[in-house]
Amino acid sequence: MTARISTFEQYQEEYKKSIEDPEGFWAGIAENFTWKKKWDKVLEWNFKEPNIKWFLNAKLNITENCIDRHLAHKGHQPAIVWEPNDPSEKSITLTYNQLHEQVCTFSNVLKKQGVKKGDRVCIYMPMVPEAAVAMLACARIGAVHSVVFAGFSTQSLSDRINDCNCEVVITSDGLFRGAKTVELKKIVDEALAVCPCVRNVIVLKRTGTPVEMKEGRDIYWTEEMQNSSGDCSSEEMDSEDMLYILYTSGSTGKPKGVVHTTAGYMVYTWYSFLNVFQYNDGDVYWCTADIGWVTGHSYTVYAPLLAGATIVMFEGIPVYPDAGRFWSVIEKHEVNIFYTAPTAIRSLMASGLDFVKPYDLGSLRVLGSVGEPINEEAWIWYNENIGKNQCPIVDTWWQTETGGILISPLAGITETKPSYAMLPLPGVQPVLLDSTGHELTGNAVEGNLCIKFPWPSMIRTTYGDHERCRQTYFDTYPNMYFTGDGCRRDADGDYRIIGRVDDVLKVSGHRLGTADIEDAINHCPEVVESAVVGYPHPVKGQGIYAFVTCDKAEHEYAALKQDILHNVTNLIGPIAKPDKIQFVRGLPKTRSGKIMRRILRKIAEGDTSNLGDTTTLIDPTVVEEIKNGVAS
Ligand code: 7RM
């Protein structure tokens, strides 16, 4: 494989080539795929509108590259090895041949329901092989999938369905997550009460929970599969045809539907997968990310299949039935490459080594981290106890909007330092800017992380609202994609991501907007106002701290707190529940009515020694009161 880098010198050469001649560079990488028709032009772009097009006028289908092209030489190799929530249940293996058969059959199921190229399909499913099959079947017939994380509530689900007018929802009766069962179909039924755009619901049986099937709307996965053929040629897609929409939270407004298109996404995710993880043919690869998040799209499903890897797909959670589960799965399936989030590492670290010791982790070769900054202590624990000091750790920085990993070491090739994402991948041109927009050149500088040149898998638009895309990512600094992250380039030129500079939180690796949580809290009639900030949390990375004003007496706070938690669970999902709620008489506001979050963040962090200038506040005494108050 020509795209595979194997020494640091080669990385430097490839990087140089990719900057001097991006079009030539990416055209060379794109030669590794099956195209129905090749491109006329590699790149057309401006960051002003923005307008970004890669591999113009080429025709392809991503599933032909994920599946069909592997069949001749690895049809019998496992594509997906599924590990259920309950370890006593049997794991299931789908070979590439079987995956092909299932995807083609389900493509026909979708077609029979009238799904056509360009239609949007919502996937609200547990981590089961059928979820990947559903995504791939959409891609095969040219439908656009919108996967909604199965931990999101009714309200979040209906918002997302309506925003992009999904016509079909694919779900299951329920799901298992640790000791819990969640009745997914019930949530879908409730959501659909306000979603007139949905024509059909396809229901997979997973938990055996009884469900109501609405006549003329709801059908069972298995029955439909039995009545459909396994032949389905792949739809011819243009490079820039939409592949999927994935909703993500920002600092303001409702979650945005990030749009990814076909060819660039395919080329970049594959290239980054191969190089970051140094994937070798035959490797067993396990990414623990749920398909509801971008990591689950790019690195649980698409990239490893594009590379012809054997994927482990895990339905459960790290601590069920006990904190040894990850390590037992690694031993059981002889995992070579393991990719997870710092929050999982920290929680398992806290459980102690007795849960690690019983397992043989000798199959591991590469370890990955994603989703939030990994602190030095967790990095070292991961390195020593899981990698046994033998496995390079790749701390991969990227975003829903970037589609693929942009800054990361290449395993075993780039030197690593705890908590550093190290260096940009070929094709990626990061810059650091100060608040006035000046580029900070040279080393040992810290600023806002931007990317100044397009890469193939970048966001194209936000669904139904291109202006919002422009404003959110391309307006802050002219001719730059703004990431929303603060970053340091150290004296050696290596990158260290510091964290968000906006009002976006990463809580246990889940991306949440503080504004969304505030909206949910304000939904309680007794709440007057609220302000949500993040604070350092030993396991979750960030915890959620809510300051709330209300017109209730103190003895009623406990009941109101329950009401708030209930509302947040119903409107967003349990992942957004505040860890701490503090009732206050007033919020610190400037004369123009803006809440001074800087002060609240300091208080939430427990650092009240120096709150900075509070003289511009309307009522500085509220700060004293908040400082002296307590959260529960
Ligand atoms: C992949 C993903 C994106 C935000 C991003 C960062 C943070 C992600 C790292 C990281 C430090 C990392 N997509 N982030 N990876 N911070 N080091 N290796 O997480 O859209 O859900 O979130 O996550 O703040 O902007 S995401």
Side-chain angles (χ1 to χ4, degrees), residues 248 293-295 369-374 395-401 421 483-485 497 499-500 506 509-511:
T248 195
W293 308 104
V294 75
T295 310
S369 171
V370 63
E372 44 172 327
I374 178 166
D395 178 359
T396 64
W397 173 84
W398 60 296
Q399 310 176 295
T400 306
E401 296 87 344
T483 65
D485 279 315
I497 309 298
R500 302 289 306 194
K506 275 312 209 68
H510 302 318
R511 177 165 159 179

PDB file of all heavy atoms in Angstrom, residues 248 293-295 369-374 395-401 421 483-485 497 499-500 506 509-511, ligand 1:
ATOM      1  N   THR A 248     -24.462  17.804  16.260  1.00  0.00           N
ATOM      2  CA  THR A 248     -23.481  18.060  17.296  1.00  0.00           C
ATOM      3  C   THR A 248     -23.775  19.394  17.961  1.00  0.00           C
ATOM      4  O   THR A 248     -24.340  20.286  17.346  1.00  0.00           O
ATOM      5  CB  THR A 248     -22.049  18.007  16.726  1.00  0.00           C
ATOM      6  OG1 THR A 248     -21.137  17.913  17.812  1.00  0.00           O
ATOM      7  CG2 THR A 248     -21.700  19.233  15.897  1.00  0.00           C
ATOM      8  N   TRP A 293     -21.797   8.751  17.843  1.00  0.00           N
ATOM      9  CA  TRP A 293     -20.829   9.851  17.837  1.00  0.00           C
ATOM     10  C   TRP A 293     -19.967   9.740  16.600  1.00  0.00           C
ATOM     11  O   TRP A 293     -19.905   8.683  15.963  1.00  0.00           O
ATOM     12  CB  TRP A 293     -19.944   9.794  19.092  1.00  0.00           C
ATOM     13  CG  TRP A 293     -20.763   9.706  20.335  1.00  0.00           C
ATOM     14  CD1 TRP A 293     -20.966   8.599  21.097  1.00  0.00           C
ATOM     15  CD2 TRP A 293     -21.551  10.750  20.942  1.00  0.00           C
ATOM     16  NE1 TRP A 293     -21.807   8.885  22.140  1.00  0.00           N
ATOM     17  CE2 TRP A 293     -22.180  10.198  22.071  1.00  0.00           C
ATOM     18  CE3 TRP A 293     -21.757  12.102  20.637  1.00  0.00           C
ATOM     19  CZ2 TRP A 293     -23.017  10.955  22.898  1.00  0.00           C
ATOM     20  CZ3 TRP A 293     -22.593  12.849  21.467  1.00  0.00           C
ATOM     21  CH2 TRP A 293     -23.208  12.271  22.578  1.00  0.00           C
ATOM     22  N   VAL A 294     -19.243  10.806  16.291  1.00  0.00           N
ATOM     23  CA  VAL A 294     -18.474  10.785  15.044  1.00  0.00           C
ATOM     24  C   VAL A 294     -17.384   9.717  15.055  1.00  0.00           C
ATOM     25  O   VAL A 294     -17.075   9.108  14.036  1.00  0.00           O
ATOM     26  CB  VAL A 294     -17.897  12.181  14.703  1.00  0.00           C
ATOM     27  CG1 VAL A 294     -16.707  12.524  15.606  1.00  0.00           C
ATOM     28  CG2 VAL A 294     -17.511  12.259  13.243  1.00  0.00           C
ATOM     29  N   THR A 295     -16.806   9.466  16.235  1.00  0.00           N
ATOM     30  CA  THR A 295     -15.762   8.444  16.300  1.00  0.00           C
ATOM     31  C   THR A 295     -16.339   7.084  15.891  1.00  0.00           C
ATOM     32  O   THR A 295     -15.674   6.290  15.220  1.00  0.00           O
ATOM     33  CB  THR A 295     -15.138   8.377  17.704  1.00  0.00           C
ATOM     34  OG1 THR A 295     -14.776   9.701  18.097  1.00  0.00           O
ATOM     35  CG2 THR A 295     -13.918   7.484  17.736  1.00  0.00           C
ATOM     36  N   SER A 369      -6.359   7.171  22.009  1.00  0.00           N
ATOM     37  CA  SER A 369      -7.173   7.969  22.912  1.00  0.00           C
ATOM     38  C   SER A 369      -7.861   9.057  22.108  1.00  0.00           C
ATOM     39  O   SER A 369      -7.273   9.619  21.193  1.00  0.00           O
ATOM     40  CB  SER A 369      -6.273   8.582  23.987  1.00  0.00           C
ATOM     41  OG  SER A 369      -6.994   9.522  24.762  1.00  0.00           O
ATOM     42  N   VAL A 370      -9.089   9.371  22.455  1.00  0.00           N
ATOM     43  CA  VAL A 370      -9.847  10.372  21.695  1.00  0.00           C
ATOM     44  C   VAL A 370     -10.971  10.986  22.516  1.00  0.00           C
ATOM     45  O   VAL A 370     -11.513  10.346  23.411  1.00  0.00           O
ATOM     46  CB  VAL A 370     -10.475   9.743  20.422  1.00  0.00           C
ATOM     47  CG1 VAL A 370     -11.475   8.652  20.752  1.00  0.00           C
ATOM     48  CG2 VAL A 370     -11.139  10.799  19.537  1.00  0.00           C
ATOM     49  N   GLY A 371     -11.297  12.212  22.191  1.00  0.00           N
ATOM     50  CA  GLY A 371     -12.525  12.812  22.704  1.00  0.00           C
ATOM     51  C   GLY A 371     -12.336  13.963  23.656  1.00  0.00           C
ATOM     52  O   GLY A 371     -13.205  14.801  23.803  1.00  0.00           O
ATOM     53  N   GLU A 372     -11.217  14.001  24.328  1.00  0.00           N
ATOM     54  CA  GLU A 372     -10.946  15.046  25.314  1.00  0.00           C
ATOM     55  C   GLU A 372      -9.460  14.962  25.647  1.00  0.00           C
ATOM     56  O   GLU A 372      -8.818  13.954  25.342  1.00  0.00           O
ATOM     57  CB  GLU A 372     -11.776  14.819  26.578  1.00  0.00           C
ATOM     58  CG  GLU A 372     -11.747  13.366  26.954  1.00  0.00           C
ATOM     59  CD  GLU A 372     -12.355  13.015  28.288  1.00  0.00           C
ATOM     60  OE1 GLU A 372     -12.257  13.837  29.212  1.00  0.00           O
ATOM     61  OE2 GLU A 372     -12.859  11.914  28.412  1.00  0.00           O
ATOM     62  N   PRO A 373      -8.951  16.004  26.292  1.00  0.00           N
ATOM     63  CA  PRO A 373      -7.542  15.922  26.666  1.00  0.00           C
ATOM     64  C   PRO A 373      -7.308  14.740  27.603  1.00  0.00           C
ATOM     65  O   PRO A 373      -8.119  14.480  28.486  1.00  0.00           O
ATOM     66  CB  PRO A 373      -7.304  17.247  27.406  1.00  0.00           C
ATOM     67  CG  PRO A 373      -8.384  18.169  26.932  1.00  0.00           C
ATOM     68  CD  PRO A 373      -9.563  17.287  26.655  1.00  0.00           C
ATOM     69  N   ILE A 374      -6.246  14.000  27.373  1.00  0.00           N
ATOM     70  CA  ILE A 374      -5.906  12.918  28.302  1.00  0.00           C
ATOM     71  C   ILE A 374      -4.852  13.460  29.266  1.00  0.00           C
ATOM     72  O   ILE A 374      -3.802  13.950  28.846  1.00  0.00           O
ATOM     73  CB  ILE A 374      -5.458  11.618  27.584  1.00  0.00           C
ATOM     74  CG1 ILE A 374      -5.080  10.541  28.599  1.00  0.00           C
ATOM     75  CG2 ILE A 374      -4.359  11.851  26.565  1.00  0.00           C
ATOM     76  CD1 ILE A 374      -4.943   9.134  28.021  1.00  0.00           C
ATOM     77  N   ASP A 395      -2.639   9.866  20.796  1.00  0.00           N
ATOM     78  CA  ASP A 395      -3.626  10.802  21.342  1.00  0.00           C
ATOM     79  C   ASP A 395      -4.145  11.591  20.149  1.00  0.00           C
ATOM     80  O   ASP A 395      -3.479  12.480  19.639  1.00  0.00           O
ATOM     81  CB  ASP A 395      -2.934  11.698  22.376  1.00  0.00           C
ATOM     82  CG  ASP A 395      -3.870  12.735  22.974  1.00  0.00           C
ATOM     83  OD1 ASP A 395      -5.057  12.792  22.593  1.00  0.00           O
ATOM     84  OD2 ASP A 395      -3.400  13.503  23.837  1.00  0.00           O
ATOM     85  N   THR A 396      -5.333  11.222  19.679  1.00  0.00           N
ATOM     86  CA  THR A 396      -5.834  11.721  18.402  1.00  0.00           C
ATOM     87  C   THR A 396      -6.793  12.884  18.598  1.00  0.00           C
ATOM     88  O   THR A 396      -7.833  12.740  19.226  1.00  0.00           O
ATOM     89  CB  THR A 396      -6.583  10.598  17.658  1.00  0.00           C
ATOM     90  OG1 THR A 396      -7.741  10.215  18.406  1.00  0.00           O
ATOM     91  CG2 THR A 396      -5.686   9.378  17.465  1.00  0.00           C
ATOM     92  N   TRP A 397      -6.436  14.044  18.069  1.00  0.00           N
ATOM     93  CA  TRP A 397      -7.332  15.199  18.166  1.00  0.00           C
ATOM     94  C   TRP A 397      -8.112  15.386  16.869  1.00  0.00           C
ATOM     95  O   TRP A 397      -7.526  15.404  15.781  1.00  0.00           O
ATOM     96  CB  TRP A 397      -6.554  16.494  18.458  1.00  0.00           C
ATOM     97  CG  TRP A 397      -7.502  17.661  18.383  1.00  0.00           C
ATOM     98  CD1 TRP A 397      -8.309  18.112  19.387  1.00  0.00           C
ATOM     99  CD2 TRP A 397      -7.800  18.472  17.245  1.00  0.00           C
ATOM    100  NE1 TRP A 397      -9.088  19.145  18.923  1.00  0.00           N
ATOM    101  CE2 TRP A 397      -8.797  19.386  17.621  1.00  0.00           C
ATOM    102  CE3 TRP A 397      -7.319  18.503  15.926  1.00  0.00           C
ATOM    103  CZ2 TRP A 397      -9.314  20.330  16.737  1.00  0.00           C
ATOM    104  CZ3 TRP A 397      -7.843  19.436  15.042  1.00  0.00           C
ATOM    105  CH2 TRP A 397      -8.823  20.344  15.462  1.00  0.00           C
ATOM    106  N   TRP A 398      -9.403  15.508  17.017  1.00  0.00           N
ATOM    107  CA  TRP A 398     -10.269  15.834  15.879  1.00  0.00           C
ATOM    108  C   TRP A 398     -11.660  16.149  16.368  1.00  0.00           C
ATOM    109  O   TRP A 398     -11.883  16.231  17.577  1.00  0.00           O
ATOM    110  CB  TRP A 398     -10.254  14.723  14.838  1.00  0.00           C
ATOM    111  CG  TRP A 398     -10.715  13.361  15.303  1.00  0.00           C
ATOM    112  CD1 TRP A 398     -10.115  12.574  16.250  1.00  0.00           C
ATOM    113  CD2 TRP A 398     -11.868  12.643  14.847  1.00  0.00           C
ATOM    114  NE1 TRP A 398     -10.828  11.403  16.397  1.00  0.00           N
ATOM    115  CE2 TRP A 398     -11.905  11.421  15.549  1.00  0.00           C
ATOM    116  CE3 TRP A 398     -12.853  12.895  13.904  1.00  0.00           C
ATOM    117  CZ2 TRP A 398     -12.907  10.465  15.339  1.00  0.00           C
ATOM    118  CZ3 TRP A 398     -13.841  11.947  13.693  1.00  0.00           C
ATOM    119  CH2 TRP A 398     -13.858  10.748  14.407  1.00  0.00           C
ATOM    120  N   GLN A 399     -12.603  16.365  15.444  1.00  0.00           N
ATOM    121  CA  GLN A 399     -13.943  16.824  15.790  1.00  0.00           C
ATOM    122  C   GLN A 399     -14.974  16.217  14.833  1.00  0.00           C
ATOM    123  O   GLN A 399     -14.618  15.779  13.742  1.00  0.00           O
ATOM    124  CB  GLN A 399     -14.037  18.347  15.633  1.00  0.00           C
ATOM    125  CG  GLN A 399     -12.942  19.118  16.311  1.00  0.00           C
ATOM    126  CD  GLN A 399     -13.045  20.598  16.039  1.00  0.00           C
ATOM    127  OE1 GLN A 399     -12.897  21.039  14.905  1.00  0.00           O
ATOM    128  NE2 GLN A 399     -13.297  21.377  17.073  1.00  0.00           N
ATOM    129  N   THR A 400     -16.244  16.308  15.237  1.00  0.00           N
ATOM    130  CA  THR A 400     -17.321  15.897  14.339  1.00  0.00           C
ATOM    131  C   THR A 400     -17.144  16.600  12.987  1.00  0.00           C
ATOM    132  O   THR A 400     -17.312  16.002  11.929  1.00  0.00           O
ATOM    133  CB  THR A 400     -18.687  16.290  14.947  1.00  0.00           C
ATOM    134  OG1 THR A 400     -18.760  15.742  16.258  1.00  0.00           O
ATOM    135  CG2 THR A 400     -19.842  15.764  14.108  1.00  0.00           C
ATOM    136  N   GLU A 401     -16.799  17.859  13.056  1.00  0.00           N
ATOM    137  CA  GLU A 401     -16.693  18.675  11.852  1.00  0.00           C
ATOM    138  C   GLU A 401     -15.496  18.322  10.989  1.00  0.00           C
ATOM    139  O   GLU A 401     -15.496  18.611   9.788  1.00  0.00           O
ATOM    140  CB  GLU A 401     -16.581  20.157  12.243  1.00  0.00           C
ATOM    141  CG  GLU A 401     -17.802  20.728  12.952  1.00  0.00           C
ATOM    142  CD  GLU A 401     -17.776  20.509  14.473  1.00  0.00           C
ATOM    143  OE1 GLU A 401     -16.985  19.667  14.943  1.00  0.00           O
ATOM    144  OE2 GLU A 401     -18.553  21.181  15.175  1.00  0.00           O
ATOM    145  N   ALA A 421      -1.061  15.797  21.450  1.00  0.00           N
ATOM    146  CA  ALA A 421      -1.518  15.185  20.197  1.00  0.00           C
ATOM    147  C   ALA A 421      -0.394  15.260  19.159  1.00  0.00           C
ATOM    148  O   ALA A 421      -0.534  14.722  18.050  1.00  0.00           O
ATOM    149  CB  ALA A 421      -2.784  15.859  19.705  1.00  0.00           C
ATOM    150  N   THR A 483     -11.621  25.976  15.041  1.00  0.00           N
ATOM    151  CA  THR A 483     -11.985  24.715  15.694  1.00  0.00           C
ATOM    152  C   THR A 483     -12.759  24.896  16.997  1.00  0.00           C
ATOM    153  O   THR A 483     -13.422  23.962  17.444  1.00  0.00           O
ATOM    154  CB  THR A 483     -10.716  23.909  16.050  1.00  0.00           C
ATOM    155  OG1 THR A 483      -9.980  24.665  17.045  1.00  0.00           O
ATOM    156  CG2 THR A 483      -9.834  23.674  14.839  1.00  0.00           C
ATOM    157  N   GLY A 484     -12.592  26.057  17.650  1.00  0.00           N
ATOM    158  CA  GLY A 484     -13.197  26.231  18.973  1.00  0.00           C
ATOM    159  C   GLY A 484     -12.295  25.721  20.088  1.00  0.00           C
ATOM    160  O   GLY A 484     -12.671  25.769  21.257  1.00  0.00           O
ATOM    161  N   ASP A 485     -11.115  25.222  19.743  1.00  0.00           N
ATOM    162  CA  ASP A 485     -10.190  24.714  20.755  1.00  0.00           C
ATOM    163  C   ASP A 485      -9.004  25.654  20.950  1.00  0.00           C
ATOM    164  O   ASP A 485      -8.527  26.278  20.006  1.00  0.00           O
ATOM    165  CB  ASP A 485      -9.626  23.339  20.340  1.00  0.00           C
ATOM    166  CG  ASP A 485     -10.598  22.216  20.641  1.00  0.00           C
ATOM    167  OD1 ASP A 485     -11.163  22.205  21.746  1.00  0.00           O
ATOM    168  OD2 ASP A 485     -10.795  21.348  19.770  1.00  0.00           O
ATOM    169  N   ILE A 497      -3.459  20.041  22.872  1.00  0.00           N
ATOM    170  CA  ILE A 497      -4.796  20.635  22.888  1.00  0.00           C
ATOM    171  C   ILE A 497      -5.152  20.965  24.329  1.00  0.00           C
ATOM    172  O   ILE A 497      -5.028  20.111  25.216  1.00  0.00           O
ATOM    173  CB  ILE A 497      -5.849  19.663  22.319  1.00  0.00           C
ATOM    174  CG1 ILE A 497      -5.414  19.103  20.959  1.00  0.00           C
ATOM    175  CG2 ILE A 497      -7.223  20.324  22.247  1.00  0.00           C
ATOM    176  CD1 ILE A 497      -5.230  20.104  19.861  1.00  0.00           C
ATOM    177  N   GLY A 499      -8.254  22.621  25.275  1.00  0.00           N
ATOM    178  CA  GLY A 499      -9.685  22.432  25.511  1.00  0.00           C
ATOM    179  C   GLY A 499     -10.465  23.547  24.842  1.00  0.00           C
ATOM    180  O   GLY A 499      -9.893  24.443  24.237  1.00  0.00           O
ATOM    181  N   ARG A 500     -11.782  23.467  24.948  1.00  0.00           N
ATOM    182  CA  ARG A 500     -12.648  24.399  24.251  1.00  0.00           C
ATOM    183  C   ARG A 500     -12.471  25.815  24.788  1.00  0.00           C
ATOM    184  O   ARG A 500     -12.306  26.013  25.986  1.00  0.00           O
ATOM    185  CB  ARG A 500     -14.110  23.980  24.424  1.00  0.00           C
ATOM    186  CG  ARG A 500     -14.424  22.589  23.946  1.00  0.00           C
ATOM    187  CD  ARG A 500     -14.394  22.413  22.467  1.00  0.00           C
ATOM    188  NE  ARG A 500     -15.225  23.350  21.751  1.00  0.00           N
ATOM    189  CZ  ARG A 500     -15.557  23.205  20.462  1.00  0.00           C
ATOM    190  NH1 ARG A 500     -15.127  22.138  19.780  1.00  0.00           N
ATOM    191  NH2 ARG A 500     -16.285  24.096  19.866  1.00  0.00           N
ATOM    192  N   LYS A 506     -17.044  18.852  27.280  1.00  0.00           N
ATOM    193  CA  LYS A 506     -16.817  17.446  26.990  1.00  0.00           C
ATOM    194  C   LYS A 506     -16.983  16.709  28.310  1.00  0.00           C
ATOM    195  O   LYS A 506     -16.122  16.764  29.179  1.00  0.00           O
ATOM    196  CB  LYS A 506     -15.415  17.232  26.406  1.00  0.00           C
ATOM    197  CG  LYS A 506     -15.322  17.436  24.902  1.00  0.00           C
ATOM    198  CD  LYS A 506     -16.411  16.699  24.217  1.00  0.00           C
ATOM    199  CE  LYS A 506     -16.317  16.166  22.846  1.00  0.00           C
ATOM    200  NZ  LYS A 506     -15.533  15.144  22.416  1.00  0.00           N
ATOM    201  N   GLY A 509     -16.402  12.513  27.570  1.00  0.00           N
ATOM    202  CA  GLY A 509     -16.176  12.403  26.126  1.00  0.00           C
ATOM    203  C   GLY A 509     -17.376  12.808  25.291  1.00  0.00           C
ATOM    204  O   GLY A 509     -17.271  12.918  24.076  1.00  0.00           O
ATOM    205  N   HIS A 510     -18.540  13.041  25.924  1.00  0.00           N
ATOM    206  CA  HIS A 510     -19.732  13.461  25.174  1.00  0.00           C
ATOM    207  C   HIS A 510     -19.734  14.965  25.027  1.00  0.00           C
ATOM    208  O   HIS A 510     -19.524  15.696  25.991  1.00  0.00           O
ATOM    209  CB  HIS A 510     -21.017  13.040  25.893  1.00  0.00           C
ATOM    210  CG  HIS A 510     -21.125  11.569  26.142  1.00  0.00           C
ATOM    211  ND1 HIS A 510     -20.769  10.630  25.195  1.00  0.00           N
ATOM    212  CD2 HIS A 510     -21.543  10.872  27.215  1.00  0.00           C
ATOM    213  CE1 HIS A 510     -20.978   9.423  25.687  1.00  0.00           C
ATOM    214  NE2 HIS A 510     -21.430   9.535  26.910  1.00  0.00           N
ATOM    215  N   ARG A 511     -20.031  15.414  23.834  1.00  0.00           N
ATOM    216  CA  ARG A 511     -20.016  16.851  23.566  1.00  0.00           C
ATOM    217  C   ARG A 511     -21.382  17.458  23.871  1.00  0.00           C
ATOM    218  O   ARG A 511     -22.390  17.025  23.328  1.00  0.00           O
ATOM    219  CB  ARG A 511     -19.646  17.051  22.106  1.00  0.00           C
ATOM    220  CG  ARG A 511     -19.655  18.474  21.645  1.00  0.00           C
ATOM    221  CD  ARG A 511     -18.918  18.563  20.325  1.00  0.00           C
ATOM    222  NE  ARG A 511     -19.277  19.741  19.605  1.00  0.00           N
ATOM    223  CZ  ARG A 511     -18.742  20.057  18.424  1.00  0.00           C
ATOM    224  NH1 ARG A 511     -17.855  19.256  17.862  1.00  0.00           N
ATOM    225  NH2 ARG A 511     -19.104  21.147  17.806  1.00  0.00           N
TER     226      ARG A 511
HETATM  227  C1  7RM B   1     -13.679  13.121  18.026  1.00  0.00           C
HETATM  228  C2  7RM B   1     -14.543  13.985  18.884  1.00  0.00           C
HETATM  229  C3  7RM B   1     -14.671  17.552  19.489  1.00  0.00           C
HETATM  230  C4  7RM B   1     -13.938  18.199  20.645  1.00  0.00           C
HETATM  231  C5  7RM B   1     -12.710  18.953  20.217  1.00  0.00           C
HETATM  232  C6  7RM B   1     -11.876  18.939  21.471  1.00  0.00           C
HETATM  233  C7  7RM B   1     -12.177  17.591  22.075  1.00  0.00           C
HETATM  234  C8  7RM B   1     -11.309  15.559  20.854  1.00  0.00           C
HETATM  235  C9  7RM B   1      -9.304  15.384  21.666  1.00  0.00           C
HETATM  236  C10 7RM B   1      -9.916  16.514  22.240  1.00  0.00           C
HETATM  237  C11 7RM B   1      -8.010  16.969  23.455  1.00  0.00           C
HETATM  238  C12 7RM B   1      -7.955  15.086  22.070  1.00  0.00           C
HETATM  239  N1  7RM B   1     -15.423  14.796  18.230  1.00  0.00           N
HETATM  240  N2  7RM B   1     -11.159  16.582  21.715  1.00  0.00           N
HETATM  241  N3  7RM B   1     -10.188  14.818  20.822  1.00  0.00           N
HETATM  242  N4  7RM B   1      -9.273  17.295  23.124  1.00  0.00           N
HETATM  243  N5  7RM B   1      -7.356  15.911  22.949  1.00  0.00           N
HETATM  244  N6  7RM B   1      -7.290  14.016  21.595  1.00  0.00           N
HETATM  245  O1  7RM B   1     -14.434  13.938  20.084  1.00  0.00           O
HETATM  246  O2  7RM B   1     -17.078  16.625  17.957  1.00  0.00           O
HETATM  247  O3  7RM B   1     -17.419  15.059  19.755  1.00  0.00           O
HETATM  248  O4  7RM B   1     -15.715  16.715  19.957  1.00  0.00           O
HETATM  249  O5  7RM B   1     -13.442  17.209  21.543  1.00  0.00           O
HETATM  250  O6  7RM B   1     -12.311  19.933  22.352  1.00  0.00           O
HETATM  251  O7  7RM B   1     -13.052  20.235  19.762  1.00  0.00           O
HETATM  252  S1  7RM B   1     -16.485  15.801  18.962  1.00  0.00           S
END
